[in-house]
Structures are given as C-alpha cells and as structure tokens.
Amino acid sequence: MRVDLNADMGESFGPWRMGDDAALLRTVTSANVACGGHAGDADVMSATMTLAHKNGVGIGAHPGFMDLAGFGRNRMTVPRGTLQNQIRYQVAASVGMARSVGAKVRHLKLHGALSNMASEDPVLARDLYEAALSVDPDLIVMILAATAHQQAVEELGCAWAGEIFADRAYNDDATLVDRSIDGAVIHDPEIAGKRMVEMVNAGAIITESGKHIPAAIDTICLHGDTPTAVQIAGSVRSALEGAGVSVQTFEGRG
C-alpha cells in the first residue's frame, strides 16, 4: 500500500508569515503552493517552490478565489468566464515560476471555498478544471474523493488523484464539515494519525456519523495554516509507515 502526503503552503504575504513551510517540506511528498489569489506573492511562491524542488517534493498549483482578505474561504459569485480566467491566471503564474527555478508544476488542487463549491457542483468543477488544463494539459488534478470533483475529472478524461483530509471532519456526502461548526478542524496530531490509518486501510472516507464511503485514496492533505500542522504531518506519516503504508508522491489515475 502507498499514499502521498500533501500540504497547502506558500501562503505567507510580504512580511506576514503563515505556517512553517520549511518544516512541512521535510515530511510531506507533495506541496500545493498558493498562486497569489487567496494567499502568497511572487517572492513567497519562488522561495516555496525552490525549497520544495530541493527537497524532492512534488509541486502543485493551488488556485482559489481572488480573495486575499478572506483567505479564499468566502463563497463568492463570479461570472463563469471571469472565474475561468482567474484560474488560468493563477495556474500560469505557478507554471512559469516553477520553470524559472528549474522545477515543474505536476498537479493542481483547488483551494478553500472554491473547492468546496465545486465538490457540490460538477458543472462548476468541470469549468474550473477545463480552465486549468487549457494552460497545462499534463496537470494531474487532485480532487476531493467521492464528490462532484470526481465526476468532473472522469468526464474530462484527465489524469487525477483522489484526496482525503487528515485535519478535517466529513459529512455523510463526502463533503467537508463547514469550518464554522465545532469539530470541523482536527488539531490533535495523534487523532489525525490514527484516523488516516483507519481510512487508508478501509479504502474509505469515514464520516462524523461513522458512515464509510468507498474512495480512491491517493493522497492525504493537511493545511499548513493549522497551528499543529507540522506535528500532524509527522504523526500521520509515522502512523502510516508504522502500519506498513509507503508514503511517496502519487502517480495519478486516468
């Protein structure tokens, strides 16, 4: 058994620091780097990608709503064409910056509210993925497993990887529990490690109610802005390897 471990990062902005990317990059196997829409800037993107490449960590573009003030976690209404162009804009910046530091963007992962909205709406998901793939058709699309994301990538016939979350609770439809609800974000590293081993062994998302939803589990995510992110990464990796699961960069399906 094998699984990838990814983290959202590159989310600092100017003098304002978010998370400990350097520490995470010593543990994870894939990095989702903010593209300047919800977080990050040119210098942060360059530095994060350079370090990820040095550490042999797979690099991904991590676009979201153009919402710096809300960290991309506000649900927004944006015209279809404009939203697609905003995705193209962010992905192109990511691809270009990676190339400039001798690296390559290998995957795409939507951020925050945009990802959550697409997990409920296959038409929106397809619009967003089509936009990203128009910039780089070789991208592996990282999806929220067993949601509308998966329907979209299967219709498109593109390469994809199924993702579950170490630090988020699940609803019974495989979507994430809203952050406004108590218990939606998991902060305890030990709990995170144990639940990931349980889900990987079961080949399923286990919801708050205990429901098992069969899922393609290719990668496990943790959020770099969570205060215990570094500890969660270490706990999850240690727990997986202790259970005989190899932690390595995903190859992609499709």
Side-chain angles (χ1 to χ4, degrees), residues 21-234:
D21 292 349
L24 283 174
L25 286 167
R26 291 192 290 270
T27 304
V28 301
T29 48
S30 290
N32 317 308
V33 183
C35 310
H38 73 280
D41 60 32
D43 289 339
V44 171
M45 190 186 299
S46 176
T48 307
M49 289 181 170
T50 298
L51 189 55
H53 184 53
K54 179 181 178 181
N55 287 16
V57 173
I59 296 172
H62 193 40
F65 281 124
M66 303 293 282
D67 175 31
L68 286 173
F71 199 64
R73 288 182 176 153
N74 293 319
R75 292 194 172 218
M76 304 174 73
T77 301
V78 181
R80 176 180 183 272
T82 299
L83 186 55
Q84 286 185 306
N85 281 334
Q86 289 176 353
I87 293 298
R88 293 184 182 106
Y89 177 82
Q90 293 179 69
V91 172
S94 180
V95 169
M97 187 64 77
R99 186 176 300 153
S100 77
V101 301
K104 178 179 174 61
V105 171
R106 66 188 306 272
H107 73 272
L108 169 92
K109 177 186 171 181
L110 298 175
H111 169 80
L114 188 58
S115 177
N116 291 335
M117 290 169 65
S119 75
E120 304 158 5
D121 182 349
V123 175
L124 174 60
R126 182 163 180 154
D127 283 349
L128 299 173
Y129 293 147
E130 283 183 332
L133 293 168
S134 72
V135 176
D136 185 348
D138 295 326
L139 291 172
I140 302 170
V141 179
M142 190 182 289
I143 65 159
L144 294 182
T147 70
H149 285 208
Q150 187 163 337
Q151 179 181 335
V153 293
E154 288 176 348
E155 289 174 355
L156 287 169
C158 62
W160 60 277
E163 175 188 52
I164 62 171
F165 286 81
D167 55 7
R168 294 296 307 278
Y170 279 93
N171 296 308
D172 281 351
D173 62 356
T175 59
L176 301 176
V177 175
D178 191 276
R179 283 178 175 270
S180 64
I181 298 174
D182 187 43
V185 180
I186 295 162
H187 297 282
D188 188 315
E190 186 175 350
I191 290 174
K194 287 180 179 178
R195 71 193 292 267
M196 286 301 95
V197 170
E198 187 177 4
M199 289 192 199
V200 169
N201 282 336
I205 291 166
I206 302 175
T207 71
E208 286 299 274
S209 72
K211 180 180 178 180
H212 284 54
I213 303 172
I217 302 175
D218 301 304
T219 184
I220 293 169
C221 175
L222 57 103
H223 292 85
D225 64 304
T226 303
T228 53
V230 174
Q231 291 78 17
I232 288 175

